Structure formats: structure tokens, C-alpha cells
């Protein structure tokens, strides 16, 4: 119970104002506004005040309580201060009496006092002792005098030897006393104690005075503490009163009586008039307040307020929401046959009690409409997700699998996709055949009864699938158990499907550009509702979008297949047989499309082999076609047996001419190309490396057009790069000369040619990548196949973004005993001895069967060299898989077959040479020319029909040259 009735009254009023215990009494007991600055009952409500006008401050309960508490505190503090002052004075006087009595008693009974009194000069002995005792006890004086009243000790030395004035008769009689009187020191409190001898007679008196002024000074010293304590008490009390007032102001929200009355009216309106349910629940799980609408919607009992929520008979989901701290926005809960929309908010953010406010609306009639809207939103979301998921790759089967996966389980429980085989191959779909191949299946376990993926299905007439293929229309079978059309396909399997739990089917054709590509079948099992018209509209939209993606993938498959087929037809099918090199190769296609990299191994006459590797910038059909054109051109140029630098120069000129003709660089053709709409890109940007290895000398000669250098791995494990002078890519030479680089390598060395795709996985510059290639080639000697594997494993740490062509060739040397050479003087008589020497060498090699033809060939070639050529003239025989005859001279004129006239004595020798040799040709060098022939060792010395030279010459007139 409060000691301050006014404060208690104000607090009660504030509690009533904020707690809603009931409206204030109607008898006019509420405080009325006072003064010009207060609200009046007739004034406008707070909400209707003029904008910008200053609202007068209401005199609230909190303000009155604060003033009352402040006045009471001031009165109490003042009374306490007075009481403390009086008490302090009383205590100080009592303390003075006690100190004087104690000091006098102590000195009167001090040992040696009687001896000092009886001494000749008592003052000289007692005065120092008395001063020390006075100072120690804190009194103003310690006076000793005999019964005759003569002062022996005194704090004022001027009083020594004088008569003491005071009421000391009682002490002279042997009684100690304490009194207040005015003595030599002024008004004082003095205590007197008799000094007795051994017989008990009083011989002297000891008095100890304390002046009243000293007592008052002691009291005055405590006044600051008292006043400070009083001020602190006032401040503390005022602060406490302010806190109480602030709490009351917060509880009443600073409202005046009129505003509080209006608040109670609104409170009653919420309880009884609002047609929306309102519940207030406490954090202890009890119902604190429920308005009439909430009671009606939830069918609450009359005594619901104050009871736990779980005892009110509500739905368990509603109970969990009301009893938890979870907030809710338009959650739908069941209450009997009603669907209620609940919103829950906490009052904590608004400074209220830890309660929650719940509002309820009856949404039974709107539930069906909102359900359809939610289904529509979910369908739109599914379409969006499917559009971003389907078509992530340009693979037909993968796109079909994405379609099946996108619809399961959000739309259907099982989805199957069947496509035409032509579509899977990338061909144009056509015809009305009902044979489709199951391409994708989603939503089933391993023991499902449906046809597996990969099965070619011929749908029977009358089935929904056949109707979808033939007519291009969708079919819905909402209840498969009562439908018979789909059973005709496979009755036994249909029973298994029904036993599996499938009850509804929807067949939708996949159509693009008016052509049916296949079907998508949506199945639902027991847990899902049957398909309806809205489901069909969504499925058709999904199928339309997926069909476009499948058709794009089909077209890409066709183009990719065409490009791959073209590339495979243009790349070498295998490595030709030759003895100079042991060759291994790797070709890895690019990650995205067909590229333009190629390689070649071209046998050349004279135990020589040409190694070629090239790269056309770009991907696709154009790159593959360009690669084929360049490869064919190199084969044609190599047939001329040109040096590497001359061959690449001719190839560069050819590329420039092709670009001009195709509109790549020429102005006139560019204009024509622009007019015709031809966007064919130029070939410029292609690179090529051409290297020739001679198995007789072990020499490698290489030239490059913008390509990476040739790597040479010697048998000792060292790796070097043969770097010809840098030349621009093909088509950009602009007349610049090509140059070669030569290197003699030991037998067993490995020549490595490659394209830049091999170094694409290295995020470093070219020099660092070449260093990595050198490390992969170094170390122990490996055969070419193992070298290819090691290089690919070391450098291709990722799937290449560009084509990779790699050729590894291990060198061989032709044994010296399989090479024969002769110098021929410029004398026709020297032809016979050289021919006979060659015949003997053929006998040593066991090649007598080709001796006649070889002698005829050598006789003709040497005679021509002696007659028309220049020194030096050399003859060389090479025994490889074929017999190679070479006749070299210092002239650059080359013989050729021509028709001899009847009157000509010569001109028929080359015809005989061409008949006895498999191949023949001319090779030029800086020192002249070489005419070579190649003869098969398996055939006879003469032509197949056994004709002699004379017979062949008789046929000369019938030969078309």
C-alpha cells in the first residue's frame, strides 16, 4: 500500500486508462481541463486539429502525480534536514560531555599526579603533561588546581597561579560533575573530577572544559553533508517521480480525459461492431481478448478469455499458430466449415505488452478463385523454369530428356518422349509413319512397365499416340481404366500400367514448322488428379516451346554431321607405307564444332617423306572445306617435288587467288559478293608447316607459314625446336619470300608436328607452352605411339577448345649398302660402263628380274644427261620398297614426253622409261635437276604383257599423250 494516496490514485487512473478495465465513471469524476493551455471537452478532437496549429498540452494524470510527489518529497526532505541538525547538535553536546569526563578522569587517576602535587613546583611538572593529554583528548583545556583554587595547569598560561572561578564545591566534596557555564574560555561544557590521596581525601581537582563555540563548529562542519544528502534525496525522488510519470504518460499515451473517453469508445467498437475477428493472445499461450466477430467465426465459448488456447476446441494448425511466436500473412486455416485467412502480428515493436494480435477474415467464397490463381501462377513459373532448362545443349536426345525432367514431378508423375529416327539423326522429318523411338523417360523406378528408352515403337491405329502423329492433335485420356483405345497397342502391358497406379494420360505432339517431330506423353498416378482441359492447354504450350528446341538441335545435328562427314572425308584415312619414318598421329576434334586442322604424310621419291600440318582459323563447314582445298593443293604441289619454301610460296599465291575469286580481298569481287549476298569468309588466317625428311642423309628441311615450329627429340633425350624464318600465314604473304631451315638428325630422332590446339589448355604464353611440350618429349626414348599418349596426357589437361592435330615421326636411315652412286663424265662412251656397274649392283641386291628394264631406263636417262645436260652428272640407285633410279645433272632443263615425227631419230626414250617405271618425274635443286624413276620389285623386268622395246615402239603411233 502506498504512503502517498495521491500517487496511488494517479497510478490507478493511468492503469485504467491503458489497461482497458472499463470506461471512466459517468458521474463527472474525471479531471476537468484547467487553464487556457488545456483541452476542453468541447474542443475539436486531436485528429481534427488544424494542420500546422500547435496542440495545447493536456493536463494528464502523470503530470498531477509528478507535482504531488515532488511537493511531498520537498516537505519530507526539509523535515529530515531539521531533524538531522537538531540531532547533530544533541549528539555533539553529548560527545563533548563524554570527552571532558574521560579526559578529567584519566588525568585525575594518572600515576605520579599526587607526587607532582606534593612537589615544590607542581606547575613545572604537570603543565607539559596536561598539554599533551589535552591535545590527545581533543578538549580545549585541562585545568588542575588545589583546594585553595590556585590554578596549577591551564591551556592559557596567563591563568596559571590565579584563582579558579566556577562551581567546584561539589568536586571539592569528592563528587565528579559535568556542567555548562561561562568560564575563562567563554561558555563551555566542563567536567570536574576530584583527586584523592591514599586515605581518600580530596587534595586537588581536575577539570576539562570544551567551549560551546567548538561544539557549534563541529555541527557546522556537518551542514554541507546534510544539505548535499538532502539535495541528492530531492533529485533522486524527483527522478523517480519523473520515471513514474513517464510510465503513466506512456501507458496513457499522453491523453487527456476526453481523448481517453474516445479511446474507450473505439475499444468498444472493435469489440462489438467491427466485422473482422480480432484476438489478443499472451506469451503464456492464453487468450486475453476476443471480439464478437472472432467468437462467431471460431465458435468460442463465453468464458474463452483467460483460458489456454489449446482448450478452446480450435483446429490443431490454428492452435499451433496462435501459441507460437511465428508471424503470419494471410494464412488459410480451417474452422468448422469455414476457411479463415489469419494475420498475426506481435505488439513488441510498438512498445506494448508481450502479446500478439490476430485478425481473421472469412475467405470461404474466395478460396476457389485464389486456388485457380495459384495454379495459374505455378504453371507460369513452371513454363519459365522449363524454358530456361530445355535447350541447354544442341543434342536432340539430351533436349528430350530435359523436357521430360522439367515436367516431373511439378506437372506430371511420369513423362515419356518419342521421336522419329530421322529427327534423332538430324534429317528432315517427313511422312506419316507411326514408328517412333522412345528417347526420354522420367519419373519411374527401375521396375516400371513402360517401354524402355531406345525402344522403337510402332503405335497401332486407333491409339492416342497414332492420332497425335497422323492428325497432329492432342488427346486426353482422363481415366485410363475406362478407356479402350490405348489398350490396343499392348493389352498385357496396359494391364501392368494400370496395376502400377497410372490412371490418366495426355498425348501431345511435338510440332515445329508444321511438321510432327514426335510425341510427349504425360502420365499421372494415384496420388494426382486426372488431367483436364486446363492441363492440356499448358501441356501444348510446353510442347511447342520444347519442339522448337528439339528442331534446333536436329538442325545442328544435321549440320554437325555434315561437317564431320566432310572433315573425315578430307582427313587422311591412314598413313601411307614408307620406310623413312615410323609415324603415329592423333586428331582430337574441338569442343564446339568441326575445325580446320589437318596433317599429312606424303612419300616423296628418293627415300624422302614430307610431313605436313596445318590449321585453318574458325570452325564449321567452311573451315573443313578450306582445309580440304589446302590439303589437295599441297598434294598436287608435292607431286612436283618442290622444295618446302617453293611449295608454301605457291600455296600462298593460290590462297590469295582463291580469296580474290571468292570475294575475300579483291575489290571487284568483293563488290560482286556483296551484291550477291555471299558472306563466305576468306581463307586468310590459315597456317601450315611443311617439312621433308631424307632417309639417305638424315636431313630435315622445313618451311612454315605462320605455324608453330617443328620439335625434334633426339635419342639422347634433348629436345630442340627447328625454327625457320618467320613467315606470315597463308594469303598474307604479299610477295614476301619463304625461307627454309635445315637440320641433320641422328637415326631414332622423333619429329613432332602439332597445331596450336595442343597448347590451348595452358594459360601461359607460347614460349612457356613450348617449354612444357619440350618437357613432355624429353626423358627416356619412347616409340611414336607412346610419345603421342604422353604428350596428350601432359598438355591436354582440359577438353580442347580447338582441334588438335599431332604427328610424331621416328626417323630411320637407309643402310649404306642399299645406296649406290656413280659419277658420269660428259662422254657418250661412259654410258656403257655405268650401265654395266648398275647391272652388277642389281645382281648383288638380287634384282635380276628388273635388270633389263633398269638398264633401259638408265641408258636413256644417262644418255640424255650427257647429251643435253651439264656437269656434274651423277647416277644413284636406292633400294627401298621400290627401286629408285636417279640421274642428276647441273642443268635446269627438263625433258618431257612428246610425239616424235617419222623423220626424227630420237624422242621416244621417255616413252620407254614411262612404260618400264611405275612413276617418274623431275626434281629441281639449287645445283640443277634430278630425273628419277620408281620401279616395283614385285613385277617383272618388262611390262606386264611381256612386250619388248621394239614392240612398245611399234605401239607409239597408237599412244595418246
Amino acid at each position: 500500500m502506498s504512503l502517498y494516496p495521491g500517487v496511488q490514485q494517479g497510478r490507478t487512473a493511468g492503469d485504467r486508462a491503458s489497461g482497458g478495465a472499463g470506461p471512466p465513471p459517468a458521474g463527472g469524476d474525471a479531471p476537468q481541463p484547467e487553464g487556457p493551455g488545456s483541452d476542453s471537452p468541447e474542443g475539436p478532437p486531436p485528429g481534427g486539429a488544424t494542420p500546422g496549429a500547435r496542440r495545447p498540452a493536456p493536463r494528464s494524470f502523470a503530470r498531477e502525480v509528478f507535482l504531488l510527489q515532488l511537493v511531498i518529497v520537498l516537505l519530507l526532505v526539509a523535515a529530515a534536514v531539521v531533524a538531522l541538525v537538531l540531532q547533530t547538535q544533541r549528539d555533539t553536546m553529548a560527545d563533548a560531555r563524554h570527552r571532558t569526563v574521560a579526559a578529567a578522569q584519566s588525568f585525575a587517576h594518572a600515576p605520579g599526579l599526587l607526587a607532582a602535587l606534593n612537589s615544590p613546583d607542581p606547575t613545572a611538572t604537570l603543565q607539559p603533561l596536561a598539554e599533551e593529554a589535552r591535545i590527545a583528548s581533543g578538549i580545549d583545556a585541562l585545568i588542575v588546581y588545589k583546594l585553595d583554587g590556585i590554578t596549577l595547569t591551564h591551556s592559557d598560561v596567563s591563568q596559571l597561579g590565579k584563582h579558579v572561578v566556577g562551581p567546584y564545591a561539589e568536586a571539592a566534596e569528592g563528587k565528579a560533575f559535568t556542567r555548562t557555564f561561562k568560564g575563562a574560555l567563554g561558555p563551555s561544557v566542563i567536567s570536574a573530577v576530584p583527586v584523592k590521596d591514599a586515605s581518600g581525601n580530596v587534595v586537588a581537582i581536575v577539570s576539562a572544559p570544551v567551549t560551546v563555540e567548538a561544539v557549534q563548529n563541529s555541527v557546522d562542519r556537518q551542514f554541507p553533508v546534510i544539505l548535499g544528502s538532502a539535495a541528492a534525496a530531492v533529485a533522486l525522488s524527483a527522478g523517480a517521480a519523473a520515471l513514474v510519470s513517464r510510465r503513466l504518460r506512456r501507458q496513457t499515451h499522453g491523453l487527456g480525459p476526453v481523448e481517453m473517453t474516445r479511446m474507450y469508445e473505439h475499444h468498444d467498437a472493435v469489440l462489438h461492431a467491427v466485422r473482422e475477428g480480432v484476438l489478443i493472445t499472451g506469451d503464456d499461450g492464453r487468450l486475453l481478448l476476443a471480439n464478437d466477430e472472432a467468437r462467431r467465426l471460431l465458435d468460442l465459448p463465453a468464458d474463452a478469455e483467460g483460458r489456454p488456447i489449446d482448450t478452446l476446441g480450435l483446429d490443431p494448425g490454428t492452435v499451433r499458430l496462435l501459441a507460437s511466436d511465428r508471424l503470419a500473412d494471410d494464412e488459410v486455416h480451417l474452422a468448422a466449415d469455414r476457411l479463415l485467412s489469419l494475420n498475426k502480428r506481435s505488439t513488441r515493436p510498438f512498445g506494448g505488452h508481450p502479446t500478439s494480435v490476430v485478425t481473421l477474415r472469412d475467405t470461404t467464397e474466395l478460396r476457389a478463385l485464389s486456388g485457380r490463381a495459384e495454379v495459374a501462377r505455378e504453371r507460369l513459373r513452371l513454363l519459365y523454369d522449363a524454358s530456361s532448362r530445355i535447350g541447354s545443349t544442341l543434342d536432340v536426345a539430351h533436349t528430350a530428356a530435359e523436357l521430360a525432367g522439367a515436367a516431373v514431378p511439378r506437372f506430371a508423375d511420369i513423362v515419356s518422349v518419342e521421336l522419329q529416327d530421322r529427327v534423332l539423326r538430324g534429317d528432315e522429318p517427313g511422312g506419316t509413319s507411326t514408328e517412333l523411338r522412345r528417347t526420354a523417360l522420367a519419373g519411374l523406378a527401375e521396375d516400371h512397365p513402360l517401354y524402355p528408352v531406345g525402344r522403337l515403337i510402332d503405335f497401332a491405329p486407333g491409339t492416342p499416340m497414332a492420332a497425335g502423329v497422323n492428325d497432329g492433335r492432342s488427346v486426353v485420356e482422363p481415366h485410363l481404366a475406362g478407356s479402350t483405345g490405348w489398350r490396343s497397342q499392348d493389352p498385357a502391358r496396359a494391364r501392368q500400367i494400370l496395376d502400377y497406379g497410372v490412371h490418366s494420360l495426355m498425348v501431345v505432339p511435338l510440332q515445329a514448322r508444321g511438321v510432327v517431330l514426335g510425341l510427349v506423353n504425360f502420365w499421372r498416378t494415384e496420388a494426382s488428379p486426372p488431367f483436364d482441359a486446363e492441363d492440356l492447354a499448358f501441356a501444348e504450350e510446353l510442347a511447342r516451346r520444347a519442339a522448337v528446341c528439339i528442331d534446333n538441335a536436329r538442325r545442328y545435328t544435321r549440320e554437325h554431321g555434315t561437317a564431320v562427314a566432310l572433315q573425315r572425308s578430307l582427313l587422311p584415312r591412314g598413313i601411307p607405307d614408307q620406310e623413312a619414318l615410323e609415324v603415329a598421329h592423333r586428331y582430337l576434334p574441338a569442343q564446339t564444332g568441326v575445325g580446320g586442322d589437318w596433317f599429312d604424310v606424303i612419300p616423296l621419291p628418293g627415300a624422302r617423306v614430307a610431313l605436313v600440318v596445318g590449321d585453318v582459323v574458325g570452325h564449321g563447314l567452311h573451315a573443313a572445306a578450306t582445309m580440304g582445298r589446302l590439303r589437295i593443293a599441297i598434294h598436287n604441289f608435292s607431286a612436283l617435288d618442290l622444295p618446302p619454301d617453293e611449295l608454301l610460296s605457291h600455296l600462298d599465291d593460290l590462297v590469295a587467288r582463291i580469296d580474290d575469286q571468292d570475294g575475300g580481298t579483291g575489290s571487284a569481287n568483293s563488290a560482286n559478293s556483296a551484291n550477291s549476298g555471299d558472306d563466305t569468309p576468306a581463307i586468310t588466317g590459315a597456317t601450315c608447316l611443311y617439312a621433308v625428311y631424307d632417309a639417305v642423309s638424315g636431313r630435315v628441311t622445313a618451311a612454315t607459314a605462320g605455324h608453330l615450329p617443328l620439335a625434334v627429340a633426339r635419342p639422347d633425350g634433348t629436345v630442340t625446336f627447328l625454327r625457320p624464318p618467320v613467315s606470315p600465314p597463308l594469303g598474307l604473304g604479299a610477295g614476301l619470300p619463304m625461307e627454309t631451315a635445315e637440320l641433320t638428325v641422328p637415326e631414332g630422332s622423333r619429329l613432332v608436328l602439332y597445331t596450336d590446339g595442343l597448347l590451348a589448355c595452358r594459360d601461359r604464353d607460347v614460349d612457356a607452352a613450348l617449354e612444357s611440350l619440350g618437357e613432355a618429349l624429353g626423358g627416356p626414348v619412347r616409340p611414336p605411339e607412346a610419345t603421342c599418349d604422353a604428350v596428350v596426357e601432359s598438355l591436354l589437361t582440359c577438353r580442347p577448345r580447338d582441334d588438335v592435330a599431332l604427328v610424331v615421326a621416328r626417323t630411320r636411315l637407309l643402310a649404306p649398302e642399299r645406296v649406290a652412286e656413280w659419277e658420269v663424265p660428259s662422254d657418250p662412251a661412259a654410258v656403257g660402263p655405268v650401265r654395266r656397274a648398275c647391272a652388277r649392283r642389281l645382281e648383288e641386291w638380287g634384282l635380276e628380274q628388273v635388270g633389263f628394264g633398269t638398264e633401259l631406263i638408265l641408258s636413256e636417262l644417262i644418255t640424255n644427261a650427257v647429251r643435253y645436260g651439264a656437269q656434274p652428272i651423277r647416277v644413284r640407285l636406292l633400294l627401298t620398297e621400290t627401286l629408285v633410279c636417279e640421274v642428276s645433272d647441273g642443268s635446269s632443263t627438263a625433258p618431257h614426253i612428246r610425239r616424235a615425227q617419222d623423220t626424227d631419230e630420237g624422242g621416244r626414250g621417255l616413252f620407254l622409261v614411262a612404260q618400264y617405271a611405275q612413276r617418274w618425274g623431275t626434281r629441281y635443286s639449287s645445283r640443277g635437276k634430278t630425273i628419277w624413276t620408281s620401279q616395283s620389285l614385285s613385277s617383272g623386268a618388262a611390262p606386264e604383257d611381256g612386250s619388248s622395246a621394239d614392240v612398245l615402239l611399234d605401239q607409239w603411233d597408237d599412244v595418246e599423250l
Side-chain angles (χ1 to χ4, degrees):
M1 181 175 181
S2 175
L3 297 175
Y4 312 107
V7 175
Q8 179 65 28
Q9 181 182 1
R11 185 177 302 154
T12 302
D15 292 342
R16 291 175 56 195
S18 61
D29 294 338
Q32 299 298 321
E34 298 177 3
S38 304
D39 292 340
S40 63
E42 295 78 18
T50 303
R54 183 176 182 182
R55 178 185 175 187
R59 179 168 296 178
S60 62
F61 293 120
R63 182 177 178 185
E64 295 177 358
V65 170
F66 173 74
L67 294 176
L68 179 61
Q69 287 182 333
L70 188 59
V71 170
I72 293 175
V73 167
L74 291 175
L75 292 177
L76 290 176
V77 170
V81 169
V82 173
L84 284 174
V85 170
L86 295 177
Q87 182 66 30
T88 301
Q89 289 181 345
R90 184 171 63 252
D91 292 343
T92 305
M93 291 297 294
D95 179 68
R97 293 189 185 94
H98 294 158
R99 285 190 287 118
T100 55
V101 171
Q105 290 282 4
S106 299
F107 200 81
H109 295 88
L113 178 60
L114 293 175
L117 291 172
N118 295 327
S119 64
D121 190 359
T123 298
T125 303
L126 295 178
Q127 180 66 21
L129 298 176
E131 282 301 308
E132 291 180 4
R134 179 187 69 80
I135 295 172
S137 59
I139 58 178
D140 294 329
L142 191 61
I143 304 172
V144 180
Y145 52 88
K146 291 186 178 182
L147 295 180
D148 56 4
I150 299 301
T151 300
L152 300 179
T153 64
H154 202 286
S155 59
D156 185 4
V157 295
S158 62
Q159 298 295 326
L160 294 177
K162 296 182 179 180
H163 282 278
V164 175
V165 178
Y168 300 113
E170 188 175 349
E173 294 177 358
K175 297 180 180 179
F177 68 88
T178 301
R179 288 202 174 85
T180 300
F181 70 98
K182 186 175 182 180
L185 298 177
S188 305
V189 177
I190 189 169
S191 295
V193 177
V195 180
K196 297 180 180 179
D197 56 10
S199 59
N201 297 324
V202 178
V203 296
I205 298 173
V206 177
S207 64
V210 174
T211 62
V212 175
E213 182 180 1
V215 174
Q216 188 62 40
N217 290 336
S218 177
V219 174
D220 293 342
R221 284 194 299 270
Q222 298 186 35
F223 264 109
V225 177
I226 294 174
L227 294 179
S229 300
V234 171
L236 183 61
S237 300
L243 290 176
V244 172
S245 300
R246 182 179 180 182
R247 179 177 179 81
L248 291 176
R249 188 183 304 110
R250 185 170 63 251
Q251 291 178 345
T252 59
H253 301 284
L255 300 177
V258 175
E259 293 170 328
M260 293 181 64
T261 301
R262 186 178 298 110
M263 181 187 66
Y264 279 117
E265 292 174 354
H266 295 168
H267 176 268
D268 290 341
V270 172
L271 286 178
H272 308 296
V274 173
R275 305 313 298 168
E276 182 171 335
V278 177
L279 298 176
I280 298 180
T281 60
D283 57 351
D284 57 352
R286 294 180 179 273
L287 180 64
L288 302 181
L289 179 67
N291 68 347
D292 295 345
E293 183 67 8
R295 292 176 181 273
R296 183 184 69 83
L297 294 176
L298 298 176
D299 195 17
L300 296 177
D303 59 344
E305 294 182 355
R307 290 174 55 181
I309 297 172
D310 54 2
T311 63
L312 301 179
L314 303 178
D315 180 73
T318 306
V319 171
R320 286 193 296 271
L321 174 62
L322 297 180
S324 67
D325 294 334
R326 182 172 62 87
L327 305 182
D329 289 313
D330 293 328
E331 287 191 10
V332 178
H333 290 259
L334 183 65
D337 57 347
R338 300 186 181 94
L339 292 175
L340 303 180
S341 175
L342 272 67
N343 289 274
K344 183 180 179 182
R345 291 292 182 271
S346 175
T347 61
R348 289 184 179 89
F350 308 101
H353 296 287
T355 58
S356 299
V357 178
V358 180
T359 58
L360 308 94
R361 295 193 308 274
D362 190 353
T363 61
T364 304
E365 297 179 357
L366 298 177
R367 182 58 178 171
L369 180 60
S370 63
R372 289 194 295 271
E374 179 62 28
V375 171
R377 284 195 298 269
E378 177 62 25
R379 294 290 169 81
L380 289 175
R381 190 179 301 112
L382 177 56
L383 274 179
Y384 174 79
D385 295 341
S387 299
S388 61
R389 178 177 178 180
I390 300 173
S392 61
T393 66
L394 290 175
D395 181 80
V396 176
H398 190 271
T399 304
E402 290 175 338
L403 167 60
V408 174
R410 297 167 63 180
F411 177 68
D413 299 313
I414 305 169
V415 175
S416 62
V417 181
E418 293 84 34
L419 298 175
Q420 296 183 23
D421 277 344
R422 296 175 59 86
V423 174
L424 291 173
R425 293 193 302 266
D427 299 334
E428 284 288 343
T432 58
S433 174
T434 56
E435 280 191 350
L436 301 178
R437 190 173 299 278
R438 178 148 290 173
T439 310
L441 191 62
L444 284 173
E446 295 181 357
D447 57 344
H448 64 85
L450 273 68
Y451 291 123
V453 174
R455 174 76 174 268
L456 183 62
I457 308 172
D458 186 5
F459 293 107
T463 60
M465 294 76 170
V469 175
N470 295 328
D471 304 335
R473 60 182 177 86
S474 303
V475 179
V476 179
E477 294 286 355
H479 303 287
L480 290 177
S483 177
T484 58
W486 72 286
R487 295 173 183 262
S488 60
Q489 176 70 34
D490 191 340
R493 190 175 295 272
R495 286 192 298 271
Q496 295 177 5
I497 292 175
L498 292 176
D499 295 339
Y500 193 80
V502 178
H503 63 78
S504 187
L505 168 65
M506 186 162 51
V507 180
V508 181
L510 293 169
Q511 300 184 73
R513 298 177 290 111
V515 180
V516 176
L517 308 177
L519 299 174
V520 54
N521 303 316
F522 301 93
W523 312 75
R524 281 185 178 173
T525 57
E526 297 174 351
S528 302
F531 288 112
D532 54 20
E534 293 183 358
D535 295 329
L536 178 60
F538 168 79
E540 289 178 340
E541 177 63 25
L542 180 62
R544 277 193 294 269
R545 300 189 181 192
V548 174
C549 297
I550 292 176
D551 190 54
N552 290 337
R554 178 198 62 79
R555 297 171 65 183
Y556 171 79
T557 301
R558 180 188 61 187
E559 295 179 2
H560 182 72
T562 303
V564 169
L566 175 62
Q567 184 187 40
R568 289 177 178 175
S569 66
L570 295 177
L571 285 173
R573 301 293 181 87
I575 301 300
D577 295 332
Q578 41 80 35
E579 294 184 1
L581 296 171
E582 178 187 355
V583 181
H585 63 89
R586 295 289 186 273
Y587 185 86
L588 303 177
Q591 183 177 359
T592 55
V594 175
D597 293 11
W598 87 94
F599 66 93
D600 258 317
V601 179
I602 306 174
L604 298 176
R608 294 175 304 122
V609 178
L611 299 175
V612 187
V613 66
D615 184 5
V616 176
V617 176
H619 297 87
L621 285 174
H622 177 73
T626 302
M627 176 266 291
R629 298 167 78 178
L630 295 181
R631 181 168 177 260
I632 293 173
I634 290 176
H635 271 271
N636 292 332
F637 289 138
S638 65
L640 301 176
D641 209 351
L642 299 175
D645 53 342
E646 293 185 21
L647 186 145
L648 290 183
S649 296
H650 285 295
L651 188 63
D652 180 68
D653 294 338
L654 175 64
V655 169
R657 288 197 302 271
I658 292 176
D659 283 343
D660 288 341
Q661 294 172 3
D662 292 344
T665 57
S667 59
N669 288 332
S670 297
N672 295 333
S673 176
N675 294 332
S676 63
D678 186 7
D679 295 331
T680 302
I683 302 178
T684 52
T687 63
C688 184
L689 172 65
Y690 188 87
V692 176
Y693 173 68
D694 188 346
V696 177
S697 62
R699 179 170 295 276
V700 178
T701 305
T704 178
H707 202 80
L708 295 168
L710 170 73
V712 179
R714 289 180 170 81
D716 59 0
T718 61
V719 178
T720 59
F721 290 92
L722 182 60
R723 300 177 184 269
V726 178
S727 298
L730 298 174
L732 299 177
L736 295 178
M738 299 285 182
E739 299 185 51
T740 60
E742 294 185 355
L743 179 67
T744 301
V745 297
E747 185 176 12
S749 299
R750 289 164 293 168
L751 307 180
V752 182
L753 295 84
Y754 50 92
T755 57
D756 57 357
L758 184 67
L759 312 178
C761 290
R762 297 283 178 172
D763 296 330
R764 294 180 289 179
D765 56 15
V766 176
D767 292 336
L770 292 178
E771 183 178 354
S772 299
L773 175 60
E775 294 174 356
L777 294 174
V781 177
R782 292 183 289 256
E785 287 289 342
T787 302
C788 287
D789 294 336
V791 170
V792 170
E793 181 181 358
S794 176
L795 296 182
L796 293 184
T797 57
C798 63
R799 185 175 179 182
R801 296 184 296 270
D802 195 4
D803 290 12
V804 176
L806 173 64
V807 178
V808 178
R810 183 162 59 182
T811 61
R812 298 169 180 163
L813 288 177
L814 194 62
E817 59 271 13
R818 300 175 66 181
V819 179
E821 289 186 275
W822 294 273
E823 293 283 343
V824 180
S826 297
D827 185 0
V831 176
V834 173
R835 184 178 59 212
R836 288 189 293 272
C838 292
R840 288 192 296 271
R841 179 56 60 93
L842 293 178
E843 292 177 0
E844 293 175 3
W845 288 343
L847 301 179
E848 293 87 352
Q849 72 275 15
V850 297
F852 176 76
T854 305
E855 289 184 38
L856 181 59
I857 292 172
L858 289 175
S859 178
E860 292 295 333
L861 296 181
I862 296 173
T863 300
N864 284 337
V866 171
R867 180 177 299 179
Y868 305 109
Q871 286 290 337
I873 301 174
R874 292 186 179 86
V875 176
R876 187 171 70 167
L877 297 182
L878 302 177
L879 179 59
T880 60
E881 294 179 347
T882 62
L883 178 62
V884 178
C885 301
E886 296 181 349
V887 177
S888 304
D889 67 84
S891 68
S892 60
T893 58
H896 59 277
I897 297 179
R898 64 180 177 86
R899 182 178 296 274
Q901 301 297 326
D902 294 337
T903 59
D904 290 341
E905 296 181 359
R908 299 173 180 84
L910 287 183
F911 172 74
L912 296 176
V913 171
Q915 293 298 315
Y916 278 94
Q918 275 187 318
R919 298 171 56 202
W920 75 279
T922 304
R923 179 171 70 250
Y924 294 92
S925 67
S926 58
R927 295 184 300 273
K929 67 176 183 299
T930 300
I931 300 177
W932 57 268
T933 63
S934 176
Q935 296 172 263
S936 174
L937 302 180
S938 60
S939 62
E944 294 181 0
D945 58 359
S947 301
S948 64
D950 293 336
V951 175
L952 292 174
L953 290 175
D954 290 339
Q955 298 174 357
W956 173 254
D957 292 335
D958 299 329
V959 176
E960 293 290 340
L961 299 178

